[in-house]
Amino acid sequence: MTERESDQRVHRYLIIGAGPAGLQLAYYLHSAGADYLVLERDAAPGSFFREYPRHRKLISINKVHITEKDPEIALRWDWNSLLNDDPAMLFPNYTHEYYPHADDLVRYLGDFQRRHALNVRFSTPVDRIEKADDGLFTVHTAGEELRAECVIVATGWGGPYIPDIPGIGLATGYEDMSTAGTDYTGRRVLIIGKGNSAFETAQSLIGHAAIIHLASPHPVRFAWNTKHPGHVRGQYGALLDGYWFKTLDGVLECTVDSIRREGDRFRVDITYTLAEGERAVLEYDTVLRCTGFTMNTAFFGDSCRPEMANGGRMPAIRSDFQSANVDGLYFAGTLMQARDFKRASSAFIDGFRYNLRALTRLLTERYEGVPLTQQVLPLDPDQLTATMLERVNYSSALWTQFEYLCDVYVVDEEDGRIRHFAELPEDHAVERFGDRPSYFTLTLRWGPRENGDVFAIRRHPTPDRAEECAFLHPVIRHWRGDELVAERHLLEDLQAQWRDPERHVRPLAEFLTARLGTRH
């Protein structure tokens, strides 16, 4: 802790929440020997996953049986482990289920906290956070006031998002509904929403309900089209089969204009969004609300109330994961997703665990004076080619946080070297190195996000057309200041092995040779 003029002891970091994000960040700060404390409202870690998902199957995959034995590469298909140096504390040791039970994750999180002796104060709900004129934060709990230089909010979702629909209070929320399919036997059910929680719910009702309709204004977005794991996943396809096989279950593109009760039924006014404004009144026995979650902002005082993004459901953040408008207030976990919303995996453990490794480096740089780790390379295009290809063939951070986290290679013209910084958000890299005359960023990227048939994509497997690749593939960008001046795509590979001399090595080496030779 640090001392201030008042002689009151001040924590360097206070972390609010002991879910997977709070524990991951605590692990990194603990390993760095930093002064931190985690405040958790409940008596154990992972309270969100004690309740959700309601039907208890996660959508985060746990692919245990793989040919690759390198633990770093194996993390690409282990979406639930927190990063740490203990092989026993990896999630596949807890279950081999491909879609795990949420209780296994809860058990894992509790063991992770105990195994690493992380400094968590349980049963300590935060009532209010304020920021004083001296730049320090005061965190009010029921029993005391704690002060800190830096506050990191890792509370995850705070409660359900409730759309502004007249009569929405008549619907039963995802958080309250029965999960026993037999409770819906023979009933006509409307589910408001078309995300994974809505399809998870519909899946549980298929063998029981008479009719199931899912409703929202926009068509379903499928993960196999968008490449985003938060969109609807393939395991929920049974209802869609029924839709086209005339079972009377359906997916409606419509606005729900109002809900009203008449006797023991609900009458729902809708306007179809893809039918020239056609209106209808539909009758149901049950209406369920599955419209996602939003952040709880009630504990922020006016002195540090964060600016919000995405319809007020999550905080707006800068490129370093700091609040857009409150200095020293950071966000961790699913609350980090505003800058890669619906693109990479910052909403999920497998994504934000790498964001948190990057955040730790940025925090210790700012508050501890620890420079960012860098590797110094010779100004040699062949060496740079080998280094870049080794990184994309090995890194799980670049694999998971595609199009968001990048490696940066800064050309130092004075000493003829290249300085390599690993795993920074690309927008942060451009801000940080925007005064440099020459640097490269390395990421993995998808091709076009939408295809008519994702299982029948025409390919052009020649290096000169690599920018047309549909699958994940390396992209190297050359920057001068904040201006993108050149870009090179490398061909996709089914096994994600970018080592072929003609398809990968030669095109990259030629690109780097040309760019390094014309950098003025």
Side-chain angles (χ1 to χ4, degrees):
M1 298 183 184
T2 58
E3 298 281 349
R4 294 299 173 101
E5 293 181 1
S6 65
D7 291 330
Q8 182 179 6
R9 296 174 72 79
V10 178
H11 286 279
R12 178 63 50 84
Y13 310 103
L14 281 178
I15 302 170
I16 315 300
L23 296 182
Q24 181 71 91
L25 182 58
Y27 169 81
Y28 282 128
L29 293 177
H30 193 88
S31 300
D35 166 41
Y36 75 95
L37 175 64
V38 183
L39 303 178
E40 167 56 44
R41 66 181 180 182
D42 288 320
S47 59
F48 181 86
F49 293 99
R50 294 177 189 277
E51 297 184 48
Y52 303 106
R54 292 299 313 282
H55 296 86
R56 309 308 291 147
K57 280 290 186 179
L58 301 175
I59 61 172
S60 49
I61 67 173
N62 179 48
K63 188 175 182 180
V64 177
H65 303 293
I66 58 176
T67 58
E68 180 57 62
K69 302 306 179 186
D70 188 298
E72 167 67 15
I73 299 176
L75 283 166
R76 295 178 173 187
W77 306 290
D78 167 7
W79 290 11
N80 300 283
S81 287
L82 300 182
L83 304 178
N84 72 110
D85 59 3
D86 184 351
M89 291 312 306
L90 293 174
F91 186 74
N93 294 321
Y94 283 71
T95 177
H96 285 190
E97 290 293 317
Y98 189 76
Y99 293 112
H101 196 285
D103 289 351
D104 289 321
L105 181 59
V106 172
R107 184 164 54 93
Y108 168 73
L109 294 174
D111 288 350
F112 187 93
Q113 185 269 327
R114 288 186 291 272
R115 177 77 170 185
H116 295 295
L118 302 179
N119 190 16
V120 182
R121 188 176 297 177
F122 292 108
S123 302
T124 307
V126 169
D127 296 327
R128 192 170 75 261
I129 304 173
E130 299 282 2
K131 188 176 184 186
D133 292 340
D134 62 2
L136 294 178
F137 292 89
T138 301
V139 177
H140 301 263
T141 71
E144 62 181 321
E145 295 179 0
L146 301 167
R147 306 198 79 201
E149 296 179 60
C150 172
V151 168
I152 307 102
V153 176
T155 52
W157 297 124
Y161 170 73
I162 302 176
D164 185 15
I165 297 171
I168 191 65
L170 297 173
T172 302
Y174 177 69
E175 67 280 7
D176 295 321
M177 68 186 187
S178 169
T179 58
T182 53
D183 288 346
Y184 304 90
T185 298
R187 301 182 73 79
R188 293 168 294 179
V189 180
L190 172 66
I191 300 173
I192 302 175
K194 289 204 207 103
N196 281 300
S197 63
F199 273 88
E200 164 206 334
T201 300
Q203 186 95 334
S204 72
L205 304 184
I206 286 176
H208 305 280
I211 292 176
I212 306 168
H213 288 166
L214 279 70
S216 75
H218 305 291
V220 179
R221 303 201 73 191
F222 297 106
W224 60 71
N225 273 325
T226 67
K227 321 299 191 296
H228 178 62
H231 286 138
V232 175
R233 306 287 288 282
Q235 69 262 38
Y236 296 137
L239 181 124
L240 298 171
D241 279 354
Y243 184 21
W244 293 111
F245 292 158
K246 304 176 291 297
T247 65
L248 300 185
D249 294 337
V251 178
L252 313 182
E253 280 68 59
C254 67
T255 60
V256 177
D257 300 318
S258 67
I259 305 167
R260 60 189 186 277
R261 185 191 294 276
E262 291 190 3
D264 59 355
R265 305 284 176 86
F266 296 95
R267 292 178 67 82
V268 180
D269 297 292
I270 67 168
T271 302
Y272 291 103
T273 55
L274 300 180
E276 301 179 354
E278 178 189 4
R279 300 173 67 91
V281 180
L282 302 178
E283 192 171 88
Y284 299 96
D285 303 298
T286 301
V287 179
L288 303 176
R289 168 179 44 78
C290 298
T291 49
F293 296 89
T294 190
M295 176 186 172
N296 177 21
T297 60
F299 53 71
F300 291 106
D302 292 339
S303 58
C304 62
R305 189 169 300 282
E307 182 181 316
M308 302 298 286
N310 298 103
R313 297 172 76 165
M314 63 190 67
I317 58 173
R318 306 177 209 177
S319 67
D320 61 354
F321 313 110
Q322 189 173 191
S323 168
N325 64 312
V326 182
D327 186 64
L329 176 64
Y330 292 79
F331 294 93
T334 194
L335 300 181
M336 306 174 101
Q337 66 175 291
R339 295 185 80 93
D340 70 321
F341 186 63
K342 301 296 186 182
R343 290 189 294 119
S345 292
S346 292
F348 305 96
I349 292 173
D350 68 310
F352 65 61
R353 63 190 179 191
Y354 299 108
N355 292 355
L356 290 168
R357 186 158 68 186
L359 174 58
T360 302
R361 293 167 181 160
L362 297 175
L363 290 175
T364 54
E365 178 187 43
R366 174 177 179 177
Y367 291 98
E368 319 287 346
V370 178
L372 282 186
T373 302
Q374 60 179 276
Q375 176 188 10
V376 180
L377 305 171
L379 190 57
D380 174 13
D382 290 334
Q383 176 65 51
L384 184 55
T385 297
T387 299
M388 286 182 170
L389 291 180
E390 176 62 23
R391 284 291 294 160
V392 294
N393 281 299
Y394 180 71
S395 169
S396 285
L398 298 182
W399 173 274
T400 303
Q401 289 298 74
F402 53 85
E403 303 180 16
Y404 185 55
L405 293 185
C406 72
D407 278 12
V408 191
Y409 301 83
V410 181
V411 180
D412 191 325
E413 300 184 358
E414 293 184 2
D415 66 6
R417 296 182 178 182
I418 295 175
R419 304 188 185 280
H420 170 209
F421 300 86
E423 300 170 17
L424 292 172
E426 190 172 32
D427 54 1
H428 181 74
V430 174
E431 290 180 14
R432 175 181 281 264
F433 300 110
D435 60 347
R436 305 297 178 92
S438 180
Y439 60 97
F440 298 88
T441 57
L442 170 68
T443 60
L444 290 169
R445 296 183 181 275
W446 293 100
R449 291 302 182 111
E450 301 288 347
N451 296 278
D453 183 347
V454 296
F455 303 109
I457 298 173
R458 185 171 296 279
R459 298 173 60 242
H460 303 284
T462 59
D464 290 343
R465 299 185 69 171
E467 71 277 2
E468 300 175 34
C469 288
F471 197 66
L472 200 67
H473 63 281
V475 178
I476 300 87
R477 290 175 162 177
H478 186 203
W479 302 79
R480 291 197 185 104
D482 59 0
E483 180 186 2
L484 176 62
V485 295
E487 183 174 277
R488 178 73 216 200
H489 294 242
L490 301 182
L491 280 173
E492 61 196 1
D493 184 86
L494 181 62
Q495 301 298 321
Q497 308 243 338
W498 296 285
R499 295 189 175 94
D500 187 272
E502 291 302 313
R503 293 164 61 88
H504 305 125
V505 178
R506 181 184 57 78
L508 178 55
E510 289 178 351
F511 173 76
L512 294 175
T513 298
R515 302 315 303 175
L516 290 171
T518 60
R519 60 183 182 273
H520 293 291

